[in-house]
Amino acid sequence: MNIKVLDTTLRDGEQTPGVSLTPLEKLRIATKLDEIGMDYIEAGSAITSEGERDSIKEITRQNFNAEILSFSRPLTIDIDYCIDCDVDGVNLVVPTSDLHISDKLKTTREELIKLSNDAIDYCKDHGLIVELSAEDASRSDIDFLKSVFASAIEHDVNRLCVCDTVGILTPDTSFELFNSLNDIPIPISVHCHNDFGLAVANTLSALKGGASEIHTTINGIGERAGNTSFEECVVSIDRLLPEFSTNIKINEIYDISKLVARSTGVYIQPNKAIVGENAFAHESGIHSDGIIKNSATYEPITPELVGRKRKFIIGKHMGTHGLDNRLKELGLNVNNNQLKQICDDIKELADKGKTVTDVDLQVIADNVLEINHEDRIKLDEVTIVSGNKVMPTASVKITIDGEEILNAGVGLGPVDAAINAIKSLDIFNDVDLIEYHVDAITGGTDAFIDVIIKLQKGDRVVSARGTEPDIINASVKAYIAGVNRLLMD
Ligand code: MN
């Protein structure tokens, strides 16, 4: 059975505390959602603000394949704004639990049904597709919920949605709830929240119970603990539930996950399924060895399936087989004794609690193999002017291929200024800083600062570190070490 997917990243997802997207960011995300085969896109809530309406209008203007919806309360003022935005349809949200009806809306069940039906009529009169979402449905009296739905069907509603607004279903109760609605003749959708970490499981159970549409957000962002995670849900349907399918292009999932993380500033936990940094990373010797022989030993799906690449992490759990593989990637061929020596040196560094970066590995390997790499870039001096009344400014003296160069830069803070002073030089042109991470190794203000960065040039990514009492020196050192590594053949 083909399952339809409604993305609510731009509505429920944007309700994540602290998240607010610009119209351009919303358009970029919507464009990507359409490209990967999303069936329905809830582009926002038209009543919210002028800016929100501009975003929705910009999206409806694109003539995407996806159906574009706006959130709406069952009020003509909301619906009029939706019409003004030229959306295809509305996600008409009507609370059905007595708690919401009496305490939030201060009304009665009878009034609520009338409100809902009148709103459906008004939408249909204006040519809108209507998906009626029963808010807090999982805490509603089931007979009342059924009567709201039956009445909506008489008013020609197009689709229905059951919302687990506070995430209290379990896989069993989710199945039972949807199974009890099985005789409804129009599509029913499931909208779950992740308050107990069960949103994906409950969504999948709802499909078994008879739902034919799912509501998700990219990376599972949303209010409180978030919504059903799109990537986990869609890949689970594809790989674990052979009786169901979706229209989503799974190999583009990672791209959209990164786009949404960057635009919202809500970064993904490393151990998150499918899209987390570690989802296809292996450090343990036994696992790496197995993966190299046959990736199915320790990977349920290949990283390529979702548009990713496998990574072997260098660290103390690593075995010689994985290390040898990694060294070969760096173009280094070693004999057994050298391999063992490099492995021991890495474990010694890792035992001190350090993350082992690519540059650390390179330096260790160079020492063991007695290779002398001449760094192309050397830092001679860095001077910073900073304070509460001046724009942070940095001047640097560096030597590139033997030629001494002076340069200056400004930035939001002293580290930013120092990096800007360096990276405005031609040789750094196509190097992107993709991660910057700072740790204070000891507790006090005199602590050693450990900076770990990731740099990208083309499709090569390297990590590098700088450890110094001074955060600026540590950052600059890490940056230059990383670029030297990227410039190596
Ligand atoms: Mn919601």
Side-chain angles (χ1 to χ4, degrees):
M1 183 183 178
N2 187 263
I3 301 299
K4 300 279 192 237
V5 186
L6 180 147
D7 178 88
T8 183
T9 306
L10 302 177
R11 200 274 300 171
D12 230 352
E14 208 200 13
Q15 287 171 227
T16 300
V19 170
S20 179
L21 296 164
T22 65
L24 184 64
E25 286 167 334
K26 284 200 162 198
L27 180 62
R28 277 205 196 110
I29 292 171
T31 305
K32 190 72 195 168
L33 287 169
D34 190 56
E35 275 171 22
I36 66 170
M38 194 61 67
D39 300 289
Y40 312 130
I41 299 171
E42 189 175 7
S45 175
I47 185 81
T48 306
S49 68
E50 193 67 46
E52 179 87 348
R53 285 189 285 283
D54 288 343
S55 302
I56 299 174
K57 283 177 193 170
E58 194 56 45
I59 291 168
T60 55
R61 230 173 265 142
Q62 309 297 318
N63 287 317
F64 288 138
N65 290 321
E67 177 188 304
I68 308 298
L69 299 100
S70 167
F71 176 96
S72 176
R73 294 172 299 174
L75 304 171
T76 48
I77 175 173
D78 279 36
I79 300 164
D80 284 339
Y81 276 125
C82 296
I83 295 164
D84 177 49
C85 292
D86 200 25
V87 289
D88 302 310
V90 290
N91 177 22
L92 191 66
V93 177
V94 176
T96 51
S97 68
D98 289 329
L99 177 70
H100 276 241
I101 293 170
S102 62
D103 288 19
K104 188 175 85 175
L105 296 188
K106 314 269 182 215
T107 184
T108 62
R109 288 181 174 192
E110 294 67 35
E111 287 290 323
L112 184 101
I113 290 190
K114 185 173 182 322
L115 195 68
S116 165
N117 291 341
D118 288 351
I120 295 168
D121 289 344
Y122 191 76
C123 291
K124 299 295 290 189
D125 286 346
H126 289 85
L128 291 167
I129 296 166
V130 182
E131 178 162 331
L132 181 74
S133 283
E135 189 183 17
D136 208 20
S138 52
R139 291 191 296 182
S140 302
D141 171 40
I142 184 74
D143 292 325
F144 178 64
L145 180 66
K146 283 179 180 173
S147 63
V148 173
F149 283 171
S151 178
I153 291 168
E154 281 171 24
H155 287 256
D156 291 328
V157 74
N158 299 83
R159 306 188 294 265
L160 300 168
C161 176
V162 173
C163 302
D164 185 20
T165 301
V166 290
I168 47 90
L169 290 175
T170 66
D172 285 343
T173 53
S174 177
F175 174 83
E176 283 157 21
L177 175 56
F178 283 83
N179 201 39
S180 72
L181 300 169
N182 240 338
D183 50 352
I184 290 177
I186 61 170
I188 298 199
S189 180
V190 52
H191 179 108
C192 290
H193 279 268
N194 204 32
D195 295 75
F196 289 89
L198 293 172
V200 171
N202 292 340
T203 300
L204 299 181
S205 277
L207 295 180
K208 294 268 187 182
S212 60
E213 177 190 328
I214 59 176
H215 285 200
T216 60
T217 60
I218 306 298
N219 302 334
I221 62 171
E223 290 184 87
R224 307 186 309 280
N227 289 51
T228 302
S229 144
F230 165 76
E231 50 289 332
E232 292 173 11
C233 211
V234 166
V235 176
S236 295
I237 290 171
D238 185 72
R239 292 286 125 170
L240 307 177
L241 304 179
E243 65 272 45
F244 300 114
S245 62
T246 68
N247 302 324
I248 302 299
K249 294 175 191 156
I250 289 181
N251 61 350
E252 294 183 34
I253 278 182
Y254 189 52
D255 285 348
I256 194 159
S257 164
K258 280 191 299 185
L259 173 67
V260 169
R262 269 201 312 272
S263 312
T264 58
V266 180
Y267 287 94
I268 302 161
Q269 75 200 54
N271 60 334
K272 182 156 179 7
I274 316 294
V275 292
E277 176 77 10
N278 292 345
F280 298 96
H282 308 279
E283 180 179 317
S284 129
I286 297 166
H287 286 212
S288 299
D289 183 51
I291 290 274
I292 290 163
K293 288 169 178 156
N294 178 349
S295 71
T297 50
Y298 290 104
E299 280 175 356
I301 56 173
T302 66
E304 289 78 15
L305 182 80
V306 292
R308 303 196 57 179
K309 287 193 177 118
R310 179 176 302 121
K311 281 199 315 193
F312 292 104
I313 305 295
I314 28 186
K316 69 174 175 185
H317 304 105
M318 175 195 59
T320 48
H321 207 156
L323 175 62
D324 193 30
N325 218 53
R326 191 59 201 267
L327 289 166
K328 286 206 172 79
E329 281 172 19
L330 295 173
L332 298 170
N333 283 310
V334 295
N335 65 33
N336 281 342
N337 285 338
Q338 291 165 330
L339 184 63
K340 187 172 177 312
Q341 184 61 52
I342 294 170
C343 198
D344 289 347
D345 288 357
I346 286 170
K347 290 188 183 200
E348 195 187 320
L349 184 63
D351 276 339
K352 291 178 188 152
K354 300 267 196 184
T355 306
V356 182
T357 68
D358 298 314
V359 173
D360 296 329
L361 174 63
Q362 183 75 46
V363 170
I364 288 169
D366 286 352
N367 284 338
V368 171
L369 300 177
E370 295 176 356
I371 298 173
N372 268 324
H373 274 298
E374 190 65 23
D375 283 341
R376 290 183 58 189
I377 306 166
K378 288 187 186 113
L379 177 73
D380 302 320
E381 282 174 37
V382 53
T383 309
I384 299 287
V385 181
S386 185
N388 64 346
K389 301 277 187 195
V390 294
M391 163 140 353
T393 306
S395 65
V396 291
K397 190 162 101 185
I398 57 180
T399 306
I400 301 175
D401 296 330
E403 187 192 346
E404 205 171 83
I405 295 170
L406 281 167
N407 204 31
V410 294
L412 292 174
V415 172
D416 192 38
I419 299 295
N420 284 341
I422 296 169
K423 78 175 183 195
S424 56
L425 297 166
D426 282 349
I427 196 165
F428 301 97
N429 254 346
D430 44 4
V431 175
D432 286 321
L433 178 71
I434 53 174
E435 246 180 74
Y436 175 84
H437 185 85
V438 184
D439 263 326
I441 294 178
T442 51
T445 50
D446 59 348
F448 262 77
I449 304 295
D450 194 30
V451 172
I452 294 189
I453 61 165
K454 268 190 194 162
L455 297 172
Q456 183 165 26
K457 182 178 158 76
D459 49 4
R460 285 184 67 203
V461 176
V462 300
S463 54
R465 79 138 45 76
T467 309
E468 295 274 334
D470 181 307
I471 190 170
I472 294 147
N473 291 340
S475 304
V476 169
K477 201 174 149 187
Y479 189 81
I480 289 184
V483 176
N484 274 323
R485 175 80 201 91
L486 279 173
L487 294 175
M488 246 178 238
D489 288 327

